[in-house]
Amino acid sequence: MIQVSIDKKVREWKEAGLLDEATGQRLIDFEYKKLAVSDKREHKPPILVIIGSILLALSLFSFVAANWQAIPDLVKVSIFLVFMLGMYVAAERLQVKAPRYVTLFRVLGVVFFVATMIVIFTTYNLSSQLPLLFWLFFAVAVLHKLIYKHPIFTFIAALAAFLAVTNSFQGIGITLILFGLLVTWVWFHYGDNELDRIFAWFSFYGLLLTIGQYIDYEGRFCPLWALAALHILFLVYRERAQWQYLYLFVAAILSIGYLVNATEGWLSQRQPSVIEATLLSVVLVAVYLTHRRPDLLWVSLLAVIPFSLFEGSGILLAILLEVVALAYLIMQDHERKPIVLAFIYFLLVQMTIYFIYVWDRLDISLFFLIGALIVFALSLALWWRSRTRGDART
């Protein structure tokens, strides 16, 4: 009906001399194209088709679940492969028609890939090779991130890396270690934003810890050796200035973790040798001397930890952390840099020392009173220093 009215109107305009033949034909073509696009956008499948599709899908899944044991192994794998390929085909078809759903179907493709791998591992009794499943998941997630550039795959890759590393401590071969290092390097080197590189950095760190498990290293210094080994990436990628903060974050966690472990006896019972402690201390100091980055000075202070662990009560390590936390806070303020993280680390050290040494010896209300006075005095000192420099706000 609309098409007839368009033709009729154009014909009337031509007869009245308002349009020439060529302009009238272009107007008709334009209106027909606009109408076709509108019909295409407004086209929705009937509600019965939607309900029928859902019921059909549920019926298929119910049938497969009920007859799962009777289905041949190859058919089981093929079913999930078909669903996986169907997700990617649907994503490609929707790029023009409904682009907002493309990423959803690609994510479902990753989900069905993992489901397919699970079916393969359970069907063919490969449960002992569970780390391989997670590393394959990690590789596929990184591949999706590099191809499709969507941030959702950054977080999927980070989740896969975490699962892969944490499930590899019970046993991982040299082949998987090399595979994991290769995939992690590809993720880091070709990632299109800093978040990818940060997650990749932590993946490298986790892999180095699994290498310690692979070579049956049971010493107390494995986390410190892994942190020192990561400085090699500083040599290759000197422009990654934000890695200084990653180093500081891991160093802070390690220092508090070592303090807790030393006092609670969770560390390996095997005493470290003086030679190993000396060598590790030299390496940690060399990290700072090699790069000459001011922030790495605080990492080099971890060189004292190997020797402080020889003292079983952890008093020496607690004193070290107290001094380092306070010095770091003062230095940040002296250089007019943000002190929020330094202040948080200082408070964490105070809380850790309290829970370790004075929990059973000091009334908790008295502790908080003393802690509040210390924090107030420190804040007042920092404010007074800023005031004398003329940059304080009352």
Side-chain angles (χ1 to χ4, degrees):
M1 192 72 180
I2 297 177
Q3 297 175 358
V4 174
S5 63
I6 292 174
D7 292 335
K8 182 179 179 181
K9 282 292 183 183
V10 170
R11 186 167 59 251
E12 290 177 356
W13 292 336
K14 286 180 183 179
E15 293 174 353
L18 299 176
L19 293 175
D20 57 24
E21 187 69 28
T23 304
Q25 187 60 44
R26 287 199 303 271
L27 183 59
I28 291 175
D29 293 340
F30 172 76
E31 291 294 336
Y32 277 135
K33 287 180 181 178
K34 187 171 69 172
L35 184 62
V37 171
S38 177
D39 289 343
K40 188 175 182 180
R41 288 178 179 174
E42 294 177 359
H43 176 71
K44 295 180 180 179
I47 187 66
L48 290 178
V49 174
I50 298 176
I51 296 175
S53 300
I54 295 174
L55 292 176
L56 178 61
L58 291 175
S59 300
L60 288 174
F61 278 111
S62 301
F63 176 78
V64 171
N67 298 276
W68 185 252
Q69 299 298 329
I71 298 175
D73 295 341
L74 189 59
V75 176
K76 293 178 183 178
V77 176
S78 300
I79 290 174
F80 281 88
L81 278 176
V82 168
F83 276 108
M84 181 188 73
L85 294 176
M87 295 300 106
Y88 290 108
V89 171
E92 294 302 318
R93 294 291 300 273
L94 289 173
Q95 280 189 349
V96 177
K97 299 179 180 179
R100 56 183 176 177
Y101 296 113
V102 170
T103 301
L104 173 62
F105 278 92
R106 286 171 177 165
V107 171
L108 290 175
V110 176
V111 172
F112 274 102
F113 169 81
V114 175
T116 303
M117 291 296 102
I118 292 175
V119 171
I120 292 175
F121 275 65
T122 55
T123 301
Y124 296 99
N125 298 320
L126 299 175
S127 56
S128 60
Q129 303 295 325
L130 187 62
L132 175 60
L133 170 63
F134 291 106
W135 286 111
L136 289 175
F137 177 29
F138 176 44
V140 168
V142 171
L143 183 63
H144 279 68
K145 171 58 182 177
L146 298 181
I147 294 176
Y148 300 122
K149 309 292 184 183
H150 197 282
I152 186 63
F153 294 113
T154 296
F155 295 100
I156 293 177
L159 173 63
F162 174 78
L163 293 174
V165 170
T166 53
N167 283 276
S168 296
F169 284 111
Q170 300 301 322
I172 183 173
I174 187 64
T175 302
L176 276 186
I177 290 176
L178 294 176
F179 178 72
L181 288 173
L182 176 62
V183 174
T184 304
W185 176 80
V186 169
W187 187 21
F188 170 79
H189 186 76
Y190 294 102
D192 60 352
N193 60 60
E194 294 303 327
L195 194 59
D196 285 296
R197 297 187 181 96
I198 289 172
F199 283 132
W201 192 92
F202 282 113
S203 299
F204 274 125
Y205 185 73
L207 271 168
L208 291 175
L209 295 179
T210 62
I211 291 175
Q213 295 289 322
Y214 174 73
I215 61 177
D216 294 328
Y217 174 72
E218 298 180 354
R220 301 180 176 185
F221 303 145
C222 186
L224 290 176
W225 279 118
L227 186 64
L230 278 175
H231 95 281
I232 297 174
L233 293 175
F234 274 111
L235 297 176
V236 180
Y237 301 97
R238 288 183 178 273
E239 72 278 9
R240 309 299 180 206
Q242 78 280 0
W243 280 21
Q244 299 172 30
Y245 302 104
L246 295 179
Y247 250 71
L248 287 173
F249 174 77
V250 176
I253 297 299
L254 283 177
S255 61
I256 295 177
Y258 270 116
L259 177 60
V260 174
N261 289 337
T263 55
E264 297 295 331
W266 296 344
L267 291 171
S268 170
Q269 296 304 310
R270 183 176 67 83
Q271 279 289 99
S273 66
V274 176
I275 296 177
E276 183 184 6
T278 303
L279 181 60
L280 178 56
S281 298
V282 170
V283 170
L284 289 171
V285 174
V287 169
Y288 169 71
L289 295 177
T290 300
H291 303 285
R292 297 288 182 177
R293 294 183 175 181
D295 286 342
L296 294 183
L297 173 64
W298 305 106
V299 178
S300 67
L301 292 176
L302 291 177
V304 185
I305 287 182
F307 294 101
S308 64
L309 292 181
F310 285 95
E311 198 273 318
S313 66
I315 294 294
L316 180 59
L317 185 55
I319 295 173
L320 166 69
L321 296 187
E322 189 77 45
V323 172
V324 169
L326 183 59
Y328 182 46
L329 182 61
I330 294 174
M331 285 292 295
Q332 288 292 99
D333 177 69
H334 177 72
E335 297 177 2
R336 301 192 179 188
K337 294 181 179 179
I339 65 171
V340 175
L341 295 179
F343 196 72
I344 291 174
Y345 178 61
F346 176 80
L347 292 179
L348 287 176
V349 170
Q350 311 314 309
M351 295 295 291
T352 303
I353 292 176
Y354 166 74
F355 283 115
I356 290 175
Y357 295 106
V358 296
W359 177 264
D360 297 324
R361 303 181 182 90
L362 186 66
D363 181 76
I364 191 168
S365 59
L366 180 60
F367 163 74
F368 281 112
L369 175 61
I370 295 174
L373 291 174
I374 293 175
V375 172
F376 176 76
L378 185 60
S379 302
L380 184 63
L382 292 174
W383 174 83
W384 181 260
R385 177 178 176 80
S386 299
R387 183 176 181 274
T388 57
R389 294 188 312 198
D391 57 356
R393 295 182 179 178
T394 303

